[in-house]
Amino acid sequence: KPKRDSNGIIQCQSQLDKEACRYADKVRALRQQEYDTAVVYSDREQEMIAQNERSEQDFIAYFNSIIYKCHPNSSDSIITNWTRVGKLLSIYSKGKPIPFKSISGKLLEDIKLFMLSAPRGGNKKGTLSQNSAATYFSIVKAGLHRAFIDEYLTVDIAAKVKGIPDVKVKRETLTLEEAEKLASTPCENEVLKRAFFFAVLTGIRLCDIQDLTWGEIVQTGSGWRVDFTQRKTHVVDYLPINEQAYSLCGERGEQNQRVFEGLTGSSWISRPLKKWIEASGIKKHITFHCLSHNKIFY
């Protein structure tokens, strides 16, 4: 039967007991406040409070945080584009946050105009092309749409603002004669050369060639076939290939081993690829992307 004061608080004798009692009283007060708040505010009011708290958060920080969540298995180029857009948003806002509550159709139109004159980034001079600006602005809209789904926005603002129209660009193609000229030109990167001509013969994208394993190249009754899931579309594809394409794969390895081991992403191979093409005397701007639209069969 411990002694209590007029408020019912136990009168402790030792210093340790007194400290424990004060701590317990603070916890009780905190729990009482939580209970009182739950009683005072309805579910609707609590949701409004939570929505107001979300509206104070920074869209740029949110955008950067969802890049890998939205694209866990995407190609390097997609991740690079989203990362670049995050940096451009910081340039647009001059390093300041963009609270969700400040986002409106007018602000999105301002970002659109900014993209049309935004710097290219890296060591590249000048401003973005219209097609690059269109791609980047569509990524901004995708980020805002995701924010609407995650309830940071109460209105899908991205759906109300039109994107930047693409400009029709003539695609460079590689002729049979040019392919033969490249084949006879030495390349400093042997894996790059084999992968390039594998793309020439099959039309498979660079990102899929990078990930291609020996287990995905299967022998059929009439030859060889590539069974793979496209990284861009996530569609399972079954593509017959000829003996020449198969020979470019080199010596067969383990099932889970990559066929073109050591092949880097597009940002790393662009320079040696350009150097090789220029050494062949070809004046066109040829990239791996061109090859997915320009298959050549010998």
Side-chain angles (χ1 to χ4, degrees):
K1 297 182 178 180
K3 292 182 179 180
R4 299 175 182 269
D5 62 12
S6 58
N7 295 318
I9 303 297
I10 295 175
Q11 300 299 292
C12 303
Q13 299 299 321
S14 70
Q15 184 63 31
L16 181 63
D17 284 347
K18 290 178 180 179
E19 291 176 358
C21 201
R22 282 194 291 268
Y23 175 78
D25 194 52
K26 288 180 181 179
V27 172
R28 180 205 59 75
L30 180 64
R31 296 292 176 265
Q32 183 66 49
Q33 183 182 17
E34 291 174 351
Y35 174 79
D36 292 342
T37 301
V39 171
V40 170
Y41 294 111
S42 65
D43 291 344
R44 174 59 180 167
E45 289 170 326
Q46 290 186 53
E47 173 54 32
M48 289 176 65
I49 292 171
Q51 180 62 53
N52 287 335
E53 290 177 353
R54 289 192 292 269
S55 71
E56 296 287 344
Q57 296 188 35
D58 179 23
F59 169 62
I60 299 177
Y62 167 83
F63 180 90
N64 291 326
S65 72
I66 65 171
I67 293 175
Y68 289 94
K69 292 178 182 178
C70 294
H71 306 282
N73 301 311
S74 296
S75 64
D76 293 340
S77 61
I78 291 176
I79 298 298
T80 299
N81 283 345
W82 275 71
T83 303
R84 178 59 184 157
V85 169
K87 292 178 180 178
L88 287 174
L89 286 171
S90 293
I91 293 173
Y92 166 78
S93 68
K94 298 179 181 179
K96 298 178 181 179
I98 301 178
F100 282 102
K101 67 179 182 181
S102 70
I103 295 176
S104 63
K106 182 181 181 302
L107 183 135
L108 200 49
E109 290 287 355
D110 288 343
I111 293 176
K112 181 198 292 189
L113 290 175
F114 166 77
M115 289 295 179
L116 288 168
S117 59
R120 296 179 66 187
N123 297 322
K124 299 176 181 178
K125 297 180 180 179
T127 58
L128 296 175
S129 67
Q130 182 161 330
N131 285 351
S132 294
T135 298
Y136 289 170
F137 186 63
S138 69
I139 291 174
V140 173
K141 292 181 64 179
L144 287 171
H145 180 67
R146 178 59 185 259
F148 170 69
I149 293 174
D150 289 344
E151 299 182 343
Y152 286 88
L153 293 169
T154 56
V155 177
D156 190 4
I157 296 174
K160 296 188 173 185
V161 178
K162 292 183 179 180
I164 299 172
D166 288 323
V167 175
K168 297 288 184 180
V169 178
K170 180 183 177 182
R171 295 186 184 277
E172 295 282 18
T173 57
L174 197 65
T175 65
L176 179 58
E177 292 74 19
E178 289 169 336
E180 290 173 342
K181 189 182 292 187
L182 267 177
S184 61
T185 303
C187 179
E188 63 183 35
N189 189 320
E190 183 267 341
V191 177
L192 168 61
K193 187 173 184 178
R194 289 194 294 111
F196 182 88
F197 280 106
F198 186 79
V200 167
L201 294 171
T202 64
I204 298 177
R205 295 184 184 91
L206 172 61
C207 59
D208 294 321
I209 292 176
Q210 285 177 285
D211 291 343
L212 190 64
T213 63
W214 283 107
E216 292 172 317
I217 301 180
V218 298
Q219 190 167 17
T220 62
S222 56
W224 299 94
R225 189 182 69 207
V226 180
D227 298 353
F228 70 107
T229 301
Q230 297 186 38
R231 278 180 69 176
K232 183 176 181 180
T233 62
H234 303 291
V235 173
V236 179
D237 206 349
Y238 304 94
L239 181 67
I241 61 174
N242 58 25
E243 284 292 338
Q244 189 173 15
Y246 180 75
S247 67
L248 290 168
C249 298
E251 184 178 351
R252 193 171 183 90
E254 299 294 330
Q255 291 290 90
N256 61 348
Q257 183 180 345
R258 293 191 176 185
V259 176
F260 297 97
E261 198 74 51
L263 183 65
T264 54
S266 56
S267 59
W268 294 100
I269 65 174
S270 58
R271 185 169 295 179
L273 179 61
K274 181 181 179 182
K275 183 178 177 181
W276 175 41
I277 291 172
E278 287 177 348
S280 71
I282 298 173
K283 304 299 182 182
K284 297 176 180 178
H285 178 62
I286 300 295
T287 64
F288 265 89
H289 184 68
C290 299
L291 306 180
S292 62
H293 303 276
N294 178 212
K295 289 194 292 184
I296 298 175
F297 292 96
Y298 289 90

